[in-house]
Amino acid sequence: IERDISMFVPKKVRVGDAEKTIRECGAAHLTRVQLLDVYLPREDRSRKSIALRLTFRSKDRTLTETEIEKEFDKILSALQQSLGAEIR
């Protein structure tokens, strides 16, 4: 199951910082973090937009939507708290 995240972060935040935060937040079924896009808006040079695709999978069963949403919400919260991300 895949979920995409698009967020604004301070310009100094690196994509690797976002990936590390995601991987360390405790999402048990997260198997992949893929960079989709980085955009530097002309109107606001103090921040940038990062888009990531997250893949969730269980080796032994089909995951429920509720399980995925719980892990995804945990990831969003970690990004907001750790990096000051504004989820788009």
Side-chain angles (χ1 to χ4, degrees), residues 3-84:
R3 292 286 186 272
D4 292 347
I5 298 176
S6 181
M7 64 189 134
F8 281 115
V9 293
K11 189 176 179 180
K12 66 180 180 177
V13 173
R14 297 175 299 173
V15 172
D17 298 334
E19 290 177 357
K20 182 178 179 186
T21 298
I22 291 167
R23 292 195 182 279
E24 291 179 349
C25 80
H29 297 103
L30 179 69
T31 58
R32 183 175 183 204
V33 179
Q34 177 184 2
L35 176 64
L36 297 177
D37 187 45
V38 176
Y39 173 71
L40 300 168
R42 290 182 181 171
E43 63 277 0
D44 185 355
R45 298 281 184 189
S46 67
R47 61 187 190 160
K48 63 184 168 188
S49 174
I50 298 174
L52 301 168
R53 176 164 291 148
L54 310 180
T55 303
F56 298 89
R57 184 179 312 159
S58 173
K59 294 178 182 177
D60 58 349
R61 63 186 177 81
T62 302
L63 298 172
T64 66
E65 188 66 29
T66 302
E67 289 173 304
I68 296 302
E69 286 302 315
K70 184 177 178 182
E71 290 191 22
F72 191 69
D73 289 345
K74 185 187 290 189
I75 290 168
L76 296 179
S77 179
L79 290 167
Q80 291 167 330
Q81 292 176 8
S82 297
L83 304 178

